[in-house]
Structure formats: structure tokens, C-alpha cells
Amino acid sequence: MEFINLKAQYTAYKDEIDGAVQRVCANAAFIMGGEVADLESSLAKYTGAAHAISCSSGTDALVLALMALGIGCGDEVITSPFTFIATAEAIALVGATTVFADIDLSDCNIYAALIERAITPKTKAIMPVSLYGQCADMDTINAIAARHNLAVIEDGCQSFGALYRGKKSGNVSTIGTTSFFPSKPLGCYGDGGAIFTSDNELAARLAMLRNHGQSARYEHKVVGINGRLDAIQAAILNVKLRHFDAELSRRAELRTRYDRLLAKGGVTVVGEGAKSVTAQYSVRVKHRDRVAALLNAKGVPTAVHYPKPLHLQEAFAALGYARGDFPLSEQAADEVLSLPFSPFLTEAEQDTVANALDEAIKEAAC
Ligand SMILES: Cc1ncc(COP(=O)(O)O)c(C=O)c1O
């Protein structure tokens, strides 16, 4: 059993993907060009944002969003400690300081009610993460941001396609970002990402920043980065985007089925008005490491997203946080376990996972 069945997905779209890649090779237009422009207009249409700017990864999408907002040294950005390192890494890379606020255990996203007390005169932005494919409490977060004149950058690296009160992830804040890492809900065959905004000025700045700050050939208005998406990845994404809504429907069916099969497990709740793309199907279990080992021994692959919250990572020691500062993030890090999930998971595999999990939980408790 595969944790995420990317091989089955490739087999399903093989002819289209092979053809798209060959066309790029035949045209030898590998950087920017038609495939990238087509993808950007499809992504903007899909999310409802006025602009989609493709880029080299989800990490670079976050860095570029911060750069475009002019956030840097002396500024603070509030985010969740229970996320992939890239979220806080991007803040550090632009020279700003990360300030953490704890999560809500029901969905493992930042707990909006805790954000306001983390705001200081140095705060410039809030960066909620749409963890496991579900947006955070964006209405509350946007209202807090408006009251304090802050930008909101959605780290939507796991949530492309998710819905929040009728709006698509990427289009629920000042700037939204996503990742096209292969295992993401919409993944390419290497690294890739995108940034979304409906602010024309920010969009123009983002497009410049991701291409060495270039406004016209060899005219560099600002210091930027090489943050471009390549044409082969764009061509693959153009194919996969055509199948994406069908995949999301299958994801939703399989999620509901898991919820039913695992009714006793600590499944993550989908909030009111939200639609998750279930980037990860994660449960919370006691004796997590033992349960994972027992599952792996039964041939069920698992993963932990994430075993150590960011405030306890050595890389962020200088921020001065200690164990106990964000107890719910620490509890989640001890208990979460991601189960095999993708639109190509079979129902028979799901039954195997559910039975094995049931047994493993009982065995681990002995
Ligand atoms: C929440 C989150 N933020 C940022 C990233 C970074 O994306 P990438 O791997 O494309 O740089 C990821 C990807 O793993 C992620 O899950």
C-alpha cells in the first residue's frame, strides 16, 4: 500500500502528461512562456483571485509574499508553531521575527482568539496555515488584521482547492500561497508553488520579485530572486488541473468513508462553512509512536505531520521559547498520525487501514 499513490495517478493521466512534457521539450521553451502563462490564468480563474503568480516552491511563495509586503528586519509575523518548518523559515529568511500563537486541537489550525494578545507595535502580518487542507478561522483572523492594520498571508501550501465560506483557499486574505510539491493535493513532478492576490500593485511586485526584480530585460527595479516555475512543471500542472475537481470529489468521498470507519478515532473536524481537501488524513491517538510501529509492521504506511512543534526546533532556539509555551501544539505533535490517503486509495485499502488501526490502538494500550 502506498501512503500517497502518485504512481496510480500518473498511470491514469499518462498519455496527457507524456504529451505535455514532450511538447515543452520539442519547443525548447523551458523557462516561463506559454505553459506558465496558461497555468497562471487557470489558477487565477480557479481560485477567484485576480492574479496568480507561479513560482519555484511553496517556501519561495511565502518568501516572495513577505518581500512584496516589504516585511523584513525589525518586523514581527504571527503564525502557528504546529506547521512545516517552511512557514517560519520564510519569516526568518526575510529577516523578520516569528511570534507563535497556539492552535485549536479540533482542526490543528491557529486558534484565532489567541492572535490578538500576540500583537505588538512591531507586528506587520498574520500568517495562518491551512493545515491538512483546511483553512483556519479566516473571518476572525481578517477582522483582527483589519483592526490592527496588518496583512494576512495564507500559508495554503496544503490547501489548494479548499473552500472557506464559499471562497477558495488562496483568495481568502491579502495574499495566499500554495505549494505544488508532488505529494500536495495539486502536485507537480518536482518543486513548484504559486501566490494569489487581487491587489494589482502587489501582483506586479510579486511578478518582478520572482524574476530577479526585473521589469524589462536586464532592467532590475528591486532586488528579487530566481523564483520561477519551469515550463515542464507548468505543463504537468495544466494537465492535472483538468482532473482536479474530480479528484477533490473522490477525496471528499474517501474522507467521509474514513470518518465513518474510524468513528472512535480522534479525527480532525472540518469546521463550519469549510471544505477541506484533506491533504493529510490525520487522527490523534495515544501512544502514537507505538501505534505507528504496529501499523507499519502490518504493512500500513503512516507519517507524522509534525512530530516537533517549531518553537522547540533548534533552528528557532534564538526566539527564546520553551516546552510548555504552546501546550496544544505540543499535544498535537505527540498524538497526530497521518494515514494513507489520496484520490487513488481503494476502499479495500481503507478497510485494511481501519481494521489495522483499531487493532494497533488496542495493542498499544496494553
Ligand atoms: C504548511 C506548509 N508550508 C510551506 C510548505 C513549503 O512548500 P514547498 O515544499 O513547496 O517549499 C509546505 C510543504 O511541505 C507546507 O506543508
Coordinates of all heavy atoms in Angstrom, one line a residue, residues 287-323:
H287 N -0.3 7.0 22.7 CA 0.8 6.0 22.3 C 1.1 6.0 20.9 O 1.3 5.0 20.2 CB 0.5 4.6 22.8 CG -0.1 4.5 24.1 ND1 0.5 4.7 25.3 CD2 -1.4 4.2 24.5 CE1 -0.3 4.6 26.3 NE2 -1.5 4.2 25.8
R288 N 1.1 7.2 20.2 CA 1.2 7.4 18.8 C 2.4 6.6 18.2 O 2.2 5.9 17.2 CB 1.3 8.9 18.4 CG 1.2 9.2 17.0 CD 2.5 9.4 16.2 NE 3.5 10.0 16.9 CZ 3.6 11.3 17.1 NH1 2.7 12.1 16.6 NH2 4.7 11.8 17.7
D289 N 3.6 6.7 18.7 CA 4.7 6.1 18.1 C 4.6 4.6 18.1 O 5.0 3.9 17.1 CB 6.1 6.5 18.8 CG 6.3 8.0 18.5 OD1 5.7 8.5 17.5 OD2 7.1 8.6 19.2
R290 N 4.0 4.0 19.1 CA 3.8 2.6 19.2 C 2.7 2.2 18.2 O 2.9 1.2 17.5 CB 3.4 2.2 20.7 CG 3.1 0.8 20.9 CD 3.8 0.2 22.2 NE 3.3 -1.1 22.4 CZ 3.7 -2.1 21.6 NH1 4.6 -2.0 20.7 NH2 3.2 -3.4 21.8
V291 N 1.7 2.9 18.1 CA 0.6 2.7 17.1 C 1.2 2.7 15.7 O 0.9 1.8 14.9 CB -0.6 3.7 17.3 CG1 -1.6 3.5 16.1 CG2 -1.3 3.5 18.6
A292 N 2.0 3.7 15.4 CA 2.6 3.8 14.1 C 3.5 2.6 13.8 O 3.4 2.0 12.7 CB 3.4 5.1 14.0
A293 N 4.3 2.2 14.8 CA 5.2 1.0 14.6 C 4.3 -0.3 14.3 O 4.7 -1.1 13.4 CB 6.1 0.8 15.8
L294 N 3.2 -0.4 15.1 CA 2.4 -1.6 14.9 C 1.7 -1.6 13.5 O 1.7 -2.6 12.8 CB 1.3 -1.7 16.0 CG 1.8 -2.1 17.3 CD1 0.8 -1.7 18.4 CD2 2.2 -3.6 17.4
L295 N 1.3 -0.4 13.1 CA 0.7 -0.3 11.7 C 1.7 -0.6 10.6 O 1.4 -1.3 9.7 CB 0.1 1.2 11.5 CG -1.2 1.5 12.2 CD1 -1.6 2.9 12.0 CD2 -2.3 0.6 11.6
N296 N 2.9 0.0 10.8 CA 3.9 -0.3 9.8 C 4.3 -1.7 9.7 O 4.5 -2.3 8.6 CB 5.2 0.6 10.1 CG 4.9 2.1 9.9 OD1 3.8 2.5 9.4 ND2 5.8 2.9 10.4
A297 N 4.3 -2.4 10.9 CA 4.5 -3.9 10.9 C 3.4 -4.6 10.1 O 3.6 -5.7 9.6 CB 4.7 -4.4 12.3
K298 N 2.2 -4.1 10.1 CA 1.1 -4.7 9.4 C 1.0 -4.3 8.0 O 0.0 -4.5 7.3 CB -0.2 -4.3 10.1 CG -0.4 -4.9 11.5 CD -1.7 -4.3 12.2 CE -1.7 -4.4 13.7 NZ -2.0 -5.7 14.1
G299 N 2.1 -3.5 7.5 CA 2.1 -3.1 6.1 C 1.3 -1.9 5.8 O 1.0 -1.6 4.6
V300 N 1.0 -1.1 6.8 CA 0.2 0.2 6.6 C 1.2 1.3 6.8 O 1.6 1.6 7.9 CB -1.0 0.3 7.6 CG1 -1.6 1.7 7.4 CG2 -2.0 -0.8 7.3
P301 N 1.6 2.0 5.7 CA 2.5 3.2 5.9 C 1.8 4.4 6.6 O 0.6 4.6 6.4 CB 2.9 3.5 4.5 CG 1.8 3.0 3.6 CD 1.1 1.9 4.3
T302 N 2.5 5.0 7.4 CA 2.0 6.2 8.1 C 3.0 7.3 8.1 O 4.2 7.1 7.7 CB 1.7 5.9 9.6 OG1 2.9 5.5 10.2 CG2 0.6 4.8 9.7
A303 N 2.6 8.5 8.5 CA 3.6 9.6 8.6 C 3.1 10.5 9.8 O 2.0 10.4 10.2 CB 3.6 10.4 7.3
V304 N 4.0 11.3 10.3 CA 3.6 12.2 11.3 C 3.8 13.7 10.9 O 4.9 14.1 10.6 CB 4.4 12.0 12.6 CG1 4.1 13.0 13.7 CG2 4.2 10.5 13.1
H305 N 2.7 14.4 10.8 CA 2.8 15.8 10.4 C 2.3 16.7 11.5 O 1.1 16.9 11.6 CB 1.9 16.1 9.2 CG 2.3 15.2 8.0 ND1 1.6 14.1 7.7 CD2 3.3 15.4 7.1 CE1 2.2 13.6 6.6 NE2 3.2 14.3 6.2
Y306 N 3.1 17.1 12.5 CA 4.6 17.1 12.6 C 5.0 16.6 14.0 O 4.3 17.0 14.9 CB 5.1 18.4 12.2 CG 4.7 18.8 10.8 CD1 3.6 19.5 10.5 CD2 5.5 18.3 9.7 CE1 3.2 19.7 9.1 CE2 5.2 18.6 8.4 CZ 4.0 19.3 8.1 OH 3.7 19.5 6.8
P307 N 6.1 15.9 14.1 CA 6.4 15.4 15.5 C 7.0 16.4 16.5 O 7.0 16.1 17.6 CB 7.5 14.3 15.1 CG 8.1 14.7 13.8 CD 7.0 15.5 13.1
K308 N 7.5 17.5 16.0 CA 8.1 18.5 16.9 C 7.6 19.9 16.5 O 7.8 20.4 15.4 CB 9.6 18.5 16.8 CG 10.3 19.2 18.0 CD 11.8 19.3 17.7 CE 12.6 18.3 18.5 NZ 14.0 18.6 18.5
P309 N 6.9 20.6 17.4 CA 6.4 22.0 17.0 C 7.6 22.9 16.8 O 8.7 22.7 17.4 CB 5.5 22.4 18.2 CG 5.9 21.5 19.3 CD 6.5 20.2 18.8
L310 N 7.4 24.0 16.0 CA 8.5 24.8 15.6 C 9.2 25.5 16.8 O 10.4 25.8 16.7 CB 8.1 25.8 14.5 CG 7.6 25.2 13.2 CD1 7.4 26.3 12.2 CD2 8.5 24.1 12.7
H311 N 8.4 25.9 17.9 CA 9.0 26.6 19.0 C 10.1 25.7 19.7 O 10.8 26.3 20.5 CB 8.0 27.2 19.9 CG 7.2 26.1 20.7 ND1 6.3 25.3 20.1 CD2 7.3 25.7 22.0 CE1 5.8 24.5 21.0 NE2 6.3 24.7 22.2
L312 N 10.0 24.4 19.5 CA 11.0 23.5 20.1 C 12.1 23.1 19.2 O 13.0 22.3 19.5 CB 10.3 22.3 20.7 CG 9.2 22.6 21.7 CD1 8.6 21.3 22.2 CD2 9.8 23.4 22.9
Q313 N 12.1 23.6 17.9 CA 13.2 23.3 17.0 C 14.4 24.1 17.3 O 14.4 25.3 17.5 CB 12.7 23.6 15.5 CG 11.6 22.7 15.0 CD 12.0 21.3 14.7 OE1 13.2 21.0 14.7 NE2 11.0 20.5 14.4
E314 N 15.6 23.4 17.1 CA 16.9 24.1 17.4 C 17.0 25.3 16.5 O 17.6 26.3 17.0 CB 18.0 23.1 17.1 CG 19.3 23.4 17.9 CD 20.4 22.4 17.6 OE1 20.0 21.2 17.4 OE2 21.5 22.8 17.6
A315 N 16.6 25.2 15.3 CA 16.7 26.3 14.3 C 16.1 27.6 14.9 O 16.5 28.7 14.5 CB 16.1 26.0 13.0
F316 N 15.1 27.5 15.7 CA 14.4 28.7 16.3 C 14.7 28.9 17.7 O 13.9 29.6 18.4 CB 12.9 28.6 16.0 CG 12.6 28.6 14.5 CD1 11.8 27.5 14.0 CD2 13.0 29.6 13.7 CE1 11.6 27.5 12.6 CE2 12.7 29.6 12.4 CZ 12.0 28.6 11.8
A317 N 15.8 28.3 18.2 CA 16.2 28.5 19.7 C 16.3 30.0 20.0 O 15.9 30.4 21.1 CB 17.4 27.7 20.0
A318 N 16.8 30.8 19.1 CA 17.0 32.2 19.4 C 15.7 32.9 19.7 O 15.8 34.0 20.3 CB 17.8 32.8 18.2
L319 N 14.6 32.4 19.3 CA 13.3 33.0 19.6 C 13.0 33.0 21.1 O 12.1 33.7 21.6 CB 12.2 32.4 18.8 CG 12.2 32.6 17.2 CD1 11.1 31.8 16.6 CD2 12.2 34.1 16.8
G320 N 13.7 32.0 21.8 CA 13.6 32.0 23.3 C 12.3 31.3 23.8 O 12.0 31.5 25.0
Y321 N 11.7 30.5 23.0 CA 10.5 29.7 23.5 C 11.0 28.5 24.3 O 12.1 28.0 24.1 CB 9.6 29.3 22.4 CG 8.9 30.5 21.7 CD1 9.2 30.9 20.5 CD2 7.9 31.2 22.4 CE1 8.5 32.0 19.8 CE2 7.2 32.2 21.8 CZ 7.5 32.6 20.5 OH 6.9 33.7 19.9
A322 N 10.1 27.9 25.1 CA 10.4 26.7 25.9 C 9.2 25.8 25.8 O 8.1 26.2 25.5 CB 10.8 27.1 27.3
R323 N 9.5 24.5 26.2 CA 8.4 23.5 26.3 C 7.4 24.0 27.3 O 7.7 24.6 28.3 CB 9.0 22.2 26.8 CG 8.0 21.0 26.8 CD 8.6 19.7 27.0 NE 9.3 19.2 25.8 CZ 8.7 18.7 24.7 NH1 7.3 18.6 24.7 NH2 9.4 18.3 23.7

